[in-house]
């Protein structure tokens, strides 16, 4: 990556650096915190079943989304530095194609050949790195606060692009496809799989933002990721081609001698990671009871949870419903600990909508 490619990042970095010089640093204790945030949706099958080689019950939904992030931070006053591990995936595909995946993954034998014409769009990355943040707070306690963060991740996993065409399936020995592909990857998923050395890496740079505001009985909390962001991936493996293959009795037919019509390459690419937003609104009905509305906003699925928050003492208890996903959220909050679970089934391994939040803070 050249110096010119980094210029877009200089402005927010200078703003953050300037804030550290002119912002008031209050005398506070050191703190150490750890948090884990998971939000996953799978239209075709339970999230855990898809990760278990599609071993489960097929549903009638489309698309898939995953947000999984772990953060360990050390902070003093308004300043924090953290280690971040993030896994983010967005897949757009019709249920008809998911059904074909299910047949192939489970070696289902059909009486008639199953054929589908479809398109898949993927935005999938995984990596780890560092995040620097600075809190700006109102003079009046808990009235408002804003926290910008600069995040850098070293990425080691990538699937990014489009695949369209036709696929057919009869049984484990009779299947194939004719696909137009234009995608980058760290592991080629489409036959014939391209062998790689496994040493391809990229970098994600992003400006994230947290915001809190309270007015009388109402308060709002927002968290946005990748608001200004880019992925620089030098020598990214990719393929732009037509791939055609057909297995008959477990062997390639003569019409499939040439798998790839196009080219495979290593190229310097700049990608735009998708934004992810969470928004929590809360209105106090009494001194102990609040009504809440939590929203998860992304390009694959917008989820909204309506619920109640009850705090009779130092502990707060939450219960909410995502009516679209028919999933319940239950949670416990303390000043130093937070635990929440979202699922549409008591057996979370059978849930297509799954959320987990855990956080702990230690003050010295």
């Amino acid at each position: 990556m050249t110096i010119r490619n980094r210029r877009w990042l200089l402005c927010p970095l200078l703003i953050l650096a300037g804030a550290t010089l002119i912002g008031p640093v209050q005398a506070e204790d050191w703190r150490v915190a750890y948090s884990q945030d998971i939000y996953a949706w799978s239209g075709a099958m339970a999230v855990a079943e898809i990760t278990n080689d599609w071993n489960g019950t097929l549903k009638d939904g489309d698309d898939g989304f995953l947000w999984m992030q772990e953060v360990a931070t050390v902070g003093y006053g308004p300043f924090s530095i953290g280690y971040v591990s993030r896994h983010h995936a967005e897949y757009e595909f019709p249920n008809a194609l998911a059904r074909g995946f299910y047949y192939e993954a489970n070696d289902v034998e059909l009486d008639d050949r199953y054929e589908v014409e479809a398109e898949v769009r993927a935005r999938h990355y995984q990596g780890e790195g560092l995040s620097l943040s600075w809190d700006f707070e109102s003079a009046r306690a808990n009235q408002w606060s804003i926290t910008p963060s600069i995040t850098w991740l070293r990425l080691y996993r990538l699937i990014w692009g489009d695949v369209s065409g036709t696929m057919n399936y009869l049984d484990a020995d009779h299947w194939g496809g004719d696909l137009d592909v234009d995608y980058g990857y760290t592991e080629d998923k489409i036959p014939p799989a391209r062998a790689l050395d496994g040493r391809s890496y990229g970098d994600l740079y992003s400006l994230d933002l947290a915001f809190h505001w309270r007015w009388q009985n109402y308060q709002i909390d927002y968290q946005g990721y990748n608001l200004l962001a880019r992925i620089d991936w030098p020598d990214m493996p990719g393929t732009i081609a037509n791939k055609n293959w057909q297995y008959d009795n477990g062997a390639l037919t003569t019409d499939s001698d040439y798998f790839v019509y196009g080219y495979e390459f290593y190229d310097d690419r700049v990608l735009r990671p998708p934004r992810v937003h969470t928004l929590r609104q809360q209105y106090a009905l009494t001194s102990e009871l609040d009504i809440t509305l939590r929203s998860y906003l992304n390009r694959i699925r917008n989820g909204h949870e309506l619920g109640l928050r009850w705090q009779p003492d130092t502990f707060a208890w939450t219960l909410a419903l995502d009516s679209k996903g028919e999933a319940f959220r239950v949670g416990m909050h303390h000043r130093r600990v937070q635990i929440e679970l979202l699922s549409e089934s008591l057996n979370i391994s059978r849930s297509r909508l799954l959320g987990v939040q855990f956080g702990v803070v230690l003050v010295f």
Side-chain angles (χ1 to χ4, degrees):
M1 180 175 40
T2 65
I3 296 298
R4 179 179 299 175
N5 290 335
R6 289 195 179 100
R7 287 178 180 171
W8 71 276
L9 192 59
L10 291 179
C11 288
L13 280 173
L14 289 173
I15 292 172
L16 187 62
T20 62
L21 295 176
I22 65 176
V25 178
Q26 301 176 359
E28 297 183 12
D29 295 329
W30 285 91
R31 62 189 179 277
V32 177
Y34 170 82
S35 66
Q36 183 176 58
D37 184 18
I38 300 173
Y39 189 83
W41 157 257
S42 170
M45 187 177 292
V47 174
E49 293 172 342
I50 281 189
T51 58
N52 188 28
D53 297 325
W54 293 74
N55 182 19
T57 303
L58 195 64
K59 304 293 184 180
D60 59 357
D62 308 319
D63 304 333
F65 176 82
L66 172 67
W67 175 265
M68 182 183 299
Q69 179 167 273
E70 291 183 83
V71 183
T73 62
V74 176
Y76 180 79
F79 177 76
S80 296
I81 182 171
Y83 161 81
V84 180
S85 175
R86 182 183 298 176
H87 190 176
H88 181 196
E90 298 185 1
Y91 286 89
E92 299 174 68
F93 58 86
N95 185 265
L97 183 60
R99 186 172 297 275
F101 289 158
Y102 173 80
Y103 292 154
E104 192 277 331
N106 292 277
D107 293 337
V108 177
E109 295 186 7
L110 304 178
D111 294 331
D112 299 310
R113 187 179 298 273
Y114 182 79
E115 295 188 4
V116 59
E117 181 175 355
E119 180 180 6
V120 179
R121 299 188 64 193
R123 305 288 186 272
H124 186 156
Y125 65 87
Q126 186 174 1
E128 54 191 43
L130 298 175
S131 182
L132 302 175
S133 63
W134 187 273
D135 295 329
F136 298 90
E137 297 184 352
S138 60
R140 183 178 177 182
N142 204 31
Q143 183 179 26
W144 64 264
S145 66
I146 183 169
T147 306
S149 300
I150 299 295
T151 301
W152 162 76
L153 301 179
R154 186 65 162 166
L155 304 183
Y156 51 82
R157 184 179 183 184
L158 181 81
I159 302 175
W160 200 283
D162 302 88
V163 179
S164 62
T166 60
M167 294 190 68
N168 64 82
Y169 180 87
L170 181 64
D171 56 42
D173 294 326
H174 301 81
W175 63 284
D178 186 359
L179 303 177
D180 292 315
V181 301
D182 182 358
Y183 81 123
Y185 46 81
T186 48
E187 181 182 356
D188 196 353
K189 297 290 185 179
I190 302 175
R194 177 186 179 189
L196 299 171
D197 60 13
R199 293 179 295 176
S200 180
Y201 298 96
D203 295 281
L204 181 149
Y205 305 94
S206 73
L207 173 64
D208 307 328
L209 184 68
F211 174 74
H212 164 81
W213 179 65
R214 176 192 290 272
W215 181 71
Q216 296 183 0
N217 291 350
Y218 174 78
Q219 75 174 45
I220 183 172
D221 292 277
Y222 165 80
Q223 175 68 67
Y225 296 99
N226 295 334
L227 300 185
L228 292 174
R230 67 185 283 166
I231 295 174
D232 287 300
W233 201 292
D235 295 328
M236 183 188 77
T239 298
I240 300 177
N242 174 264
K243 291 193 173 187
N244 174 268
W245 74 100
Q246 186 66 47
Y247 283 93
D248 189 10
N249 293 323
L252 285 170
T253 65
T254 55
D255 294 335
S256 303
D257 288 341
Y258 300 99
F259 283 32
V260 179
Y261 182 74
Y263 67 99
E264 297 172 331
F265 57 86
Y266 293 88
D267 195 12
D268 296 344
R269 291 295 179 93
V270 175
L271 310 173
R272 300 298 178 185
R275 298 183 181 95
V276 176
H277 312 271
T278 61
L279 182 67
R280 186 171 67 89
Q281 302 177 73
Q282 185 172 310
Y283 185 83
L285 300 175
T286 70
S287 60
E288 296 182 353
L289 186 63
D290 302 332
I291 186 170
T292 62
L293 177 62
R294 185 190 314 230
S295 301
Y296 287 85
L297 308 174
N298 56 76
R299 297 197 303 183
I300 299 299
R301 182 186 187 277
N302 292 333
H304 305 281
E305 304 167 22
L306 183 64
L308 295 172
R309 182 179 186 271
W310 180 51
Q311 185 171 0
D313 47 34
T314 58
F315 287 88
W317 308 90
T318 60
L319 178 64
L321 169 66
D322 183 318
S323 59
K324 182 179 178 180
E326 299 180 346
F328 282 95
R329 178 184 295 272
V330 293
M332 183 276 291
H333 297 252
H334 186 264
R335 194 163 61 97
R336 303 300 184 196
V337 180
Q338 171 187 353
I339 302 174
E340 292 189 0
L341 174 64
L342 172 70
S343 176
E344 61 180 332
S345 171
L346 292 177
N347 183 352
I348 62 175
S349 64
R350 297 181 180 177
S351 180
R352 291 189 299 167
L353 180 60
L354 183 63
V356 177
Q357 285 189 317
F358 173 76
V360 60
V361 179
L362 301 177
V363 178
F364 302 95

